Amino acid sequence: MATVATTAQICRNFINGKWVVSAATRTSERRNPANLDEVVGLVPLSSREETRAAIAAAKAAFAAWRDTPAPVRGRIIAKAALIMYQQKDELARILTREEGKTFKDALGEVIKSVNILDFMAGESKRIGGETVPSELPKNFAYTIKQPLGVVAAITPWNFPVSIPVWKMAPALVAGNTVVFKPATLTAFTGAKVAEIFEQAGISAGVPNMVVGSGGEVGDELLQHPDVKAVSFTGSNEVGCELYAQGARKMKKCQCEMGGKNPIVILADADLPLAVESTVFGAFASTGQRCTATSRVVVEEKVADEFVAMLVERTKKLKTGNGLDPGMDMGPAVDESQMKTDLHYIEVGKKEAKLLLGGERLTGPGYNGYYVAPTIFDHVKWDSTLAQDEVFGPVLSIIRVKDFDEALRVANSVRYGLSSSIYTNDAAKIFEFIDKIETGITHVNSPTVGGEAQLPFGGMKATGVGLREMGRVAIDFYTELKTVYIDYTGRKRESNIY
Ligand code: NAP
């Protein structure tokens, strides 16, 4: 923490169409995790009062935004897509500097966000219910989807552009007003996203952003009676408590949380392809994706060959500042995440066989929170390393005797976000798709990724509430109303209740 008395850039709040300096005296200093000499800026820890001001602005803006025809709302979102595309390099640079992922990963995230805006703009023309035949004569029955009011978007640091966008775009298109709380670690990237909505010409008070701690700003959003729904992505620790508290307030909540995603490699798999996908899934974005590959479940018959290829390929990865050309992997997002990675590496050294990495990278070129890409072999399916989410560049290899054991091991964790299988055996592919307990599954492709037009979210401890992205995203942000119109013009005679 630092006191506000410095010339460093200060992240402002966006409330009622204006960029306002928080009155907070406490700030959080953000440094580039790839170069600790570089101060990105100061993030004020805004107060509950400032959060309430944003909620009030969103509440006041709701009536007019709700009455704006959905396709007109969609045109503003389409404009935001265009502006984001035009500013993609600038936005990706801000993201790399603040979060640490490589520029190519950051650019990929921005392009994905443009796709989401583009898709949701189109959905504005399709928000509708269904007409359903009534049992009564001359009765017309149908459903309509209506906005909720003020909704909150509470987001993590690992996808600081696309997660805010995949919450805000459907919320806005559906006619809600929004208070967005970015992760404190990536507040400047969040502010750039809010600025793009502003540049698209959206009315004052419709999108708002407040920076500050989860315990104050986030909690105020959860507790405030004028916030009708909370869409949260982040850790299980925070999400479970938020969901429980939201339920007691009868608040609509959606929580997307941790993962422990397996890639299953069967004996007939295309091993070079499986190696490429494993390396990409485990180490791109420093393993800090919710869909990152963290467990390899490989059939014993090909395990030695696969592991040897995997280690050789991983050795070729270049780790460094994501803004330098040719880098494959950046640093951990902050000291705390790096310590978590190193803690699990120490656990792994006791539980399994370390094949590669296993340490912090220091020395010239490593003035940041760098952790070497790390691989453990002979990891037991029920060990700490195989069960806990690490959220860093640490990969566990679990050897199994056959497909049945592979499926059992893949499902043996409390999480259920993403999974993948490498095989050409059609029967096993279909069995896997049927039985794997994850919200997203891939066949012969990496565990990571997600497209704007397809639903995204997890099962078991990973996710509660409705899915995000795709057409279904609108459902969380709308209330369904059922309408009966009787045009007989006389008293009802049938016994329908
Ligand atoms: P986190 O610590 O739970 O924080 C997420 C957000 O919640 C941040 O904005 C945080 O604010 C806020 N927050 C913290 N305490 C709060 C409280 N008491 N009330 C309301 N809000 C509160 O998670 P993270 O470390 O940023 O993100 C990493 C986690 O996200 C991983 O577990 C990862 O798997 C998960 N994730 C899941 C998905 C998915 O779709 N399933 C996608 C991406 C990430 P501060 O920043 O101020 O602490």
Side-chain angles (χ1 to χ4, degrees):
M1 301 294 165
T3 305
V4 185
T6 167
T7 52
Q9 195 189 350
I10 294 176
C11 193
R12 288 177 296 166
N13 291 327
F14 186 60
I15 300 176
N16 206 18
K18 293 196 174 62
W19 288 97
V20 285
V21 178
S22 166
T25 50
R26 288 186 316 141
T27 61
S28 172
E29 184 190 66
R30 185 65 187 140
R31 286 177 185 258
N32 181 346
N35 176 9
L36 300 180
D37 293 335
E38 199 179 309
V39 177
V40 174
L42 295 175
V43 182
L45 300 179
S46 305
S47 64
R48 286 180 184 269
E49 205 183 328
E50 288 165 318
T51 312
R52 286 197 286 271
I55 296 168
K59 189 181 179 189
F62 176 61
W65 184 245
R66 176 194 195 283
D67 287 346
T68 304
V72 177
R73 297 195 293 254
R75 279 204 283 279
I76 295 171
I77 303 304
K79 196 160 175 207
L82 186 67
I83 294 168
M84 188 176 281
Y85 185 75
Q86 286 162 346
Q87 300 183 12
K88 62 184 185 312
D89 291 335
E90 183 194 349
L91 180 53
R93 259 193 303 277
I94 294 171
L95 166 45
T96 294
R97 207 167 154 243
E98 195 174 30
E99 199 265 359
K101 67 179 67 173
T102 63
F103 183 72
K104 69 179 174 208
D105 285 349
L107 202 53
E109 178 177 343
V110 173
I111 297 296
K112 176 178 172 168
S113 308
V114 171
N115 288 344
I116 296 167
L117 288 165
D118 198 36
F119 174 76
M120 286 301 166
E123 281 308 290
S124 69
K125 299 191 178 73
R126 286 183 286 268
I127 299 174
E130 51 179 356
T131 59
V132 182
S134 167
E135 300 208 29
L136 298 166
K138 296 198 175 186
N139 267 253
F140 177 45
Y142 66 101
T143 61
I144 49 174
K145 289 180 182 172
Q146 297 192 302
L148 307 174
V150 180
V151 303
I154 302 179
T155 59
W157 48 262
N158 70 324
F159 279 93
V161 177
S162 61
I163 295 180
V165 164
W166 84 45
K167 295 182 188 304
M168 289 169 77
L172 294 170
V173 155
N176 302 279
T177 54
V178 177
V179 182
F180 157 46
K181 190 207 106 50
T184 304
L185 289 174
T186 50
F188 285 93
T189 309
K192 184 68 197 164
V193 172
E195 191 184 299
I196 287 170
F197 282 112
E198 179 195 20
Q199 289 170 353
I202 201 160
S203 313
V206 173
N208 302 274
M209 185 195 76
V210 184
V211 297
S213 79
E216 291 281 308
V217 175
D219 189 63
E220 185 61 33
L221 290 170
L222 181 66
Q223 306 299 341
H224 201 290
D226 288 338
V227 176
K228 302 300 176 199
V230 179
S231 180
F232 168 88
T233 300
S235 64
N236 280 71
E237 199 188 356
V238 175
C240 291
E241 185 52 31
L242 186 144
Y243 196 69
Q245 288 198 33
R248 278 197 289 275
K249 294 188 174 304
M250 301 292 283
K251 204 164 272 199
K252 209 171 176 184
C253 290
Q254 138 188 94
C255 298
E256 281 300 329
M257 300 166 284
K260 192 72 191 170
N261 312 297
I263 186 168
V264 170
I265 293 152
L266 299 186
D268 72 322
D270 177 336
L271 290 189
L273 181 68
V275 165
E276 282 304 315
S277 300
T278 305
V279 171
F280 180 63
F283 302 117
S285 299
T286 321
Q288 296 176 149
R289 295 177 187 231
C290 47
T291 53
T293 308
S294 69
R295 295 178 296 151
V296 172
V297 183
V298 57
E299 264 194 283
E300 188 65 68
K301 271 174 264 180
V302 291
D304 285 343
E305 189 185 351
F306 172 81
V307 167
M309 289 164 73
L310 180 72
V311 169
E312 283 317 301
R313 177 66 185 88
T314 307
K315 279 182 188 166
K316 295 198 177 99
L317 292 180
K318 285 201 181 118
T319 302
N321 189 328
L323 286 173
D324 292 343
M327 289 303 157
D328 299 300
M329 202 180 97
V333 71
D334 69 350
E335 188 176 13
S336 164
Q337 183 58 52
M338 179 189 71
K339 283 184 173 164
T340 302
D341 298 348
L342 295 174
H343 162 74
Y344 279 107
I345 286 172
E346 290 313 307
V347 169
K349 285 177 184 169
K350 293 189 192 99
E351 290 182 343
K353 186 177 173 197
L354 177 67
L355 294 184
L356 191 69
E359 63 196 352
R360 179 178 183 177
L361 296 172
T362 52
Y366 293 124
N367 183 27
Y369 302 120
Y370 295 99
V371 176
T374 297
I375 301 176
F376 286 101
D377 196 2
H378 298 285
V379 176
K380 292 207 172 59
W381 70 268
D382 58 351
S383 63
T384 304
L385 196 59
Q387 293 290 318
D388 288 7
E389 183 184 49
V390 178
F391 220 51
V394 181
L395 182 65
S396 297
I397 296 166
I398 305 169
R399 296 170 176 237
V400 291
K401 65 175 188 310
D402 57 19
F403 171 72
D404 289 341
E405 190 184 353
L407 187 55
R408 249 192 336 271
V409 166
N411 282 336
S412 69
V413 294
R414 68 185 186 121
Y415 300 108
L417 183 56
S418 183
S419 58
S420 165
I421 186 166
Y422 277 73
T423 179
N424 289 307
D425 183 327
K428 286 175 182 156
I429 289 173
F430 281 99
E431 182 76 7
F432 184 79
I433 293 168
D434 186 33
K435 301 280 164 55
I436 190 71
E437 296 164 355
T438 58
I440 307 158
T441 194
H442 299 258
V443 176
N444 294 323
S445 65
T447 59
V448 294
E451 295 184 26
Q453 63 278 20
L454 285 153
F456 183 93
M459 295 179 177
K460 303 202 285 192
T462 293
V464 275
L466 296 163
R467 288 281 188 272
E468 304 198 78
M469 299 215 285
R471 296 200 68 188
V472 291
I474 297 289
D475 293 346
F476 177 74
Y477 297 102
T478 50
E479 200 71 80
L480 204 60
K481 187 178 278 177
T482 306
V483 184
Y484 294 88
I485 300 175
D486 187 324
Y487 54 98
T488 56
R490 51 176 195 268
K491 185 170 155 269
R492 180 187 288 189
E493 281 163 15
S494 106
N495 280 333
I496 304 229
Y497 296 103

